[in-house]
């Protein structure tokens, strides 16, 4: 059985004071939740602070991107080992804001994915279509091209390594990110199922194990219905991850969905 996962993406928000309040609120809210994994992806300057506050808790921390190079003259870039040095276990890759605002491509996502798994980081590969692509009925074509660009670069050994670090996919319809619009649970389920089938073409065992999380305006009031879908293994949360109460409520929704799934499987 897959263990659900909730990831907060703080984007470019926060300062030392507000981060401390937010993290303390999340720590006290999720400390008794044991049925799912929780992660916060904070801006790089605050990774040290995140480590100090989170290292003895059940919350992991990670980066919002990483460079594919190990070191060198790459002004402004951060290497995978720099994230692991600061205790990061996860990293977001190919987020639509990176693709749209910073001109990152499927090729850079693939190179970064490869560098991340080699460093032992769990990559969370974001895929998803724009509104125009959605309306043109191109969701599966776009998602497949984004996935294939990464999967095709992985040889057998790399694929095994990606499984060893528990690679994660995040389906994030661009039209739902930060817009207040969210995919209906059955819409999300259909795309998650498509993603799982695509992985199964490469390796059926891996497909059964890979976690596929949903992102796009997930809030406390819609989390449970999304997470109840059989192929939705949790969420990638932007705006709502900046409010401790809201983020904790989403974590509780994941935790309780996982708990009831376990119960259903036992009875
Ligand atoms: C995101 O940035 O990945 C995201 C899903 O944002 P939001 O929850 O604000 O839509």
């Amino acid at each position: 059985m897959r263990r659900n996962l909730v990831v907060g993406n703080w984007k470019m928000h926060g300062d030392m004071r507000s981060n401390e309040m937010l993290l303390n609120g999340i720590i006290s809210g999720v400390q008794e939740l044991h049925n799912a994994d929780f992660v916060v992806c904070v801006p790089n300057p605050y990774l040290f602070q995140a480590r100090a506050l989170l290292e003895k808790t059940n919350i992991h921390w990670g980066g919002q991107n990483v460079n594919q190079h190990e070191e060198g003259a790459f002004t402004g870039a951060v290497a995978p080992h720099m994230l692991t040095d600061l205790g990061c276990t996860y990293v977001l890759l190919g987020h639509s804001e990176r693709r749209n605002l910073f001109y990152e491509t499927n090729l850079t996502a693939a190179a970064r994915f490869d560098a991340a798994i080699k460093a032992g980081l769990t990559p969370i590969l974001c895929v998803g279509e724009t509104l125009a692509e959605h309306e043109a009925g191109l969701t599966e074509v776009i998602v497949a091209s984004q996935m294939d660009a990464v999967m095709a670069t992985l040889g057998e050994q790399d694929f095994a390594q990606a499984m060893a670090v528990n690679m994660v996919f995040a389906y994030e319809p661009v039209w739902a990110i930060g817009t207040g619009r969210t995919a209906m649970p059955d819409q999300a389920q259909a795309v998650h199922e498509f993603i799982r089938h695509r992985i199964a073409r490469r390796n059926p065992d891996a497909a059964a194990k890979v976690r596929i999380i949903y992102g796009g305006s997930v809030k406390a009031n819609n989390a449970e219905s999304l997470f109840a879908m059989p192929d939705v293994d949790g969420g990638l949360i932007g705006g709502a991850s900046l409010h401790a109460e809201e983020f904790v409520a989403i974590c509780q929704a994941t935790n309780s969905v996982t708990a009831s799934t376990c119960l259903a499987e036992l009875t």
Side-chain angles (χ1 to χ4, degrees):
M1 212 200 87
R2 296 182 297 271
R3 192 171 156 82
N4 272 10
L5 170 69
V6 175
V7 182
N9 173 15
W10 288 9
K11 312 193 186 195
M12 198 173 72
H13 293 287
D15 54 41
M16 292 293 281
R17 217 178 122 256
S18 64
N19 297 344
E20 187 170 343
M21 281 166 51
L22 176 54
L23 287 174
N24 283 333
I26 298 174
I27 292 167
S28 56
V30 310
Q31 64 190 347
E32 301 301 334
L33 307 181
H34 303 296
N35 295 324
D37 293 328
F38 308 109
V39 184
V40 287
C41 291
V42 310
N44 290 334
Y46 301 123
L47 285 171
F48 203 81
Q49 183 189 26
R51 178 172 70 172
L53 288 167
L54 300 176
E55 65 188 343
K56 294 196 171 60
T57 73
N58 59 339
I59 303 163
H60 304 271
W61 58 99
Q64 298 175 8
N65 195 15
V66 77
N67 195 266
Q68 63 270 42
H69 299 286
E70 279 181 26
E71 62 175 354
F74 302 104
T75 302
V78 167
H81 75 87
M82 297 174 183
L83 294 185
T84 55
D85 257 1
L86 285 170
C88 292
T89 41
Y90 288 81
V91 64
L92 298 176
L93 290 174
H95 191 281
S96 62
E97 285 153 17
R98 298 299 317 175
R99 293 176 191 265
N100 299 334
L101 305 173
F102 299 96
Y103 311 110
E104 291 187 14
T105 62
N106 281 337
L107 278 182
T108 55
R112 289 163 191 222
F113 189 97
D114 192 44
I117 58 171
K118 288 193 165 115
L121 289 160
T122 299
I124 302 171
L125 181 71
C126 304
V127 295
E129 80 287 4
T130 63
L131 184 59
E133 290 160 348
H134 179 72
E135 288 175 346
L138 293 173
T139 300
E140 292 188 355
V141 174
I142 297 299
V143 168
S145 69
Q146 292 168 337
M147 289 180 65
D148 293 353
V150 173
M151 291 294 110
T153 63
L154 302 180
E156 278 319 299
Q157 219 177 329
D158 297 326
F159 191 83
Q161 176 62 19
M163 287 313 297
V165 295
N166 296 321
M167 70 173 161
V168 175
F169 287 85
Y171 171 53
E172 296 213 299
V174 182
W175 48 270
I177 297 179
T179 58
R181 282 184 70 176
T182 187
M184 299 306 289
D186 54 345
Q187 273 180 310
Q189 166 59 25
V191 183
H192 283 230
E193 199 178 328
F194 172 78
I195 292 174
R196 204 175 296 288
H197 280 143
R198 196 104 193 148
I199 302 166
R201 292 186 353 174
R202 170 89 185 242
N203 183 323
D205 284 347
K209 286 188 192 128
V210 159
R211 290 182 290 184
I212 306 169
I213 59 178
Y214 170 80
S217 299
V218 176
K219 307 279 181 242
N221 62 8
N222 59 21
E224 202 160 328
S225 55
L226 285 159
F227 300 162
M229 293 290 114
D231 287 295
V232 179
D233 305 314
L236 176 52
I237 321 298
S241 71
L242 300 172
H243 306 280
E245 223 176 286
E246 184 84 9
F247 188 64
V248 167
I250 294 169
C251 294
Q252 281 164 342
T254 273
N255 193 69
S256 65
V257 165
T258 314
S260 51
T261 311
C262 294
L263 206 62
E265 280 181 3
L266 289 173
T267 51

